[in-house]
Amino acid sequence: MLLWTWTQRLLAITVFAALTGCGYNDFQKLDEDVKASWSEVLNQYQRRADLVPNLVSTVKGEANFEQETLTKVVEARSRATAIQATPELINNPEAFKKFQAAQGELSGALSRLLVVTENYPNLKANQGFQDLRVQLEGTENRITVARNRYIKTVQDYNVLARSFPTNLTAMVFHYEVKPSLTVANEAQISQPPAVNFDKPTAK
């Protein structure tokens, strides 16, 4: 009888540990954290996209500014905003990858634009342009902060989804591993090219 009682106790402890360690509530919290951090990334990307038209319009006022540089910014913004940016995007790896690539392309185009504008004294002295530049740089900083928070929350979520025994809960309730942002790839895309003003701009 004593053996049976001990077995019952051991079983009860095991069941209790399984229930409390299944991670269901942790999945709920981290899933909401991921959604919230992703929404902030989208907000900052939208803020940047909203700044681009005014920036392009201001730069257009500078005589002889490279049309190709402006065109690339406009086209990159168009591609970035063409993808429907919703919280559900993080559950679609293919769409997420395309969205990330488009945002990286816009980052690169804006970076090149700012490099080129350094060669135009009138633009550097234009207060409107300088205000837009400060806003853009501030937004880029906010994007970096938002992206880093998203990366951290996704990491926490994915560790829970892959660890035992919570991975069993993930399988039962279909908590799939979520995609993270690849900062290294964007850094490579954003690398500004060398600008040579000796050659005429192609029409």
Side-chain angles (χ1 to χ4, degrees):
M1 184 67 178
L2 183 61
L3 179 61
W4 173 249
T5 303
W6 174 249
T7 303
Q8 284 181 320
R9 288 178 181 175
L10 183 60
L11 181 60
I13 292 171
T14 302
V15 170
F16 177 77
L19 289 174
T20 56
C22 72
Y24 181 83
N25 289 338
D26 292 332
F27 273 114
Q28 306 313 304
K29 178 185 180 302
L30 288 176
D31 189 48
E32 290 303 317
D33 286 348
V34 169
K35 288 177 182 176
S37 61
W38 178 243
S39 292
E40 183 57 24
V41 171
L42 295 182
N43 286 341
Q44 297 307 329
Y45 277 143
Q46 185 60 52
R47 177 187 173 92
R48 179 174 68 178
D50 292 342
L51 285 172
V52 170
N54 288 336
L55 183 66
V56 169
S57 178
T58 303
V59 172
K60 274 183 177 179
E62 175 64 32
N64 302 320
F65 192 86
E66 288 81 14
Q67 184 60 40
E68 182 182 0
T69 302
L70 284 174
T71 299
K72 286 182 178 179
V73 170
V74 172
E75 289 176 348
R77 179 188 183 275
S78 178
R79 282 189 287 271
T81 56
I83 300 174
Q84 188 176 8
T86 64
E88 290 72 29
L89 193 66
I90 55 178
N91 296 320
N92 185 334
E94 184 177 343
F96 183 88
K97 185 176 180 181
K98 289 180 180 177
F99 177 80
Q100 186 181 353
Q103 292 297 337
E105 184 180 350
L106 180 54
S107 293
L110 286 170
S111 176
R112 287 187 287 272
L113 174 66
L114 294 181
V115 168
V116 173
T117 58
E118 287 296 318
N119 296 281
Y120 290 82
N122 290 342
L123 268 177
K124 294 175 71 174
N126 183 316
Q127 188 59 48
F129 173 76
Q130 290 304 323
D131 289 345
L132 286 168
R133 180 170 187 152
V134 168
Q135 290 183 57
L136 181 61
E137 290 172 349
T139 300
E140 292 293 346
N141 289 336
R142 291 187 184 94
I143 288 173
T144 299
V145 171
R147 284 170 57 93
N148 287 341
R149 179 171 179 250
Y150 173 79
I151 290 169
K152 179 63 172 64
T153 54
V154 166
Q155 180 184 23
D156 292 342
Y157 177 95
N158 287 345
V159 166
L160 188 69
R162 289 173 170 167
S163 301
F164 182 83
T166 51
N167 64 331
L168 302 178
T169 303
M171 286 190 295
V172 170
F173 292 98
H174 305 288
Y175 294 127
E176 303 292 338
V177 170
K178 297 184 184 297
S180 188
L181 294 166
T182 53
V183 179
N185 289 347
E186 182 169 312
Q188 183 178 6
I189 293 171
S190 301
Q191 186 66 33
V195 179
N196 186 346
F197 289 96
D198 295 334
K199 296 180 181 179
T201 305
K203 301 294 183 183

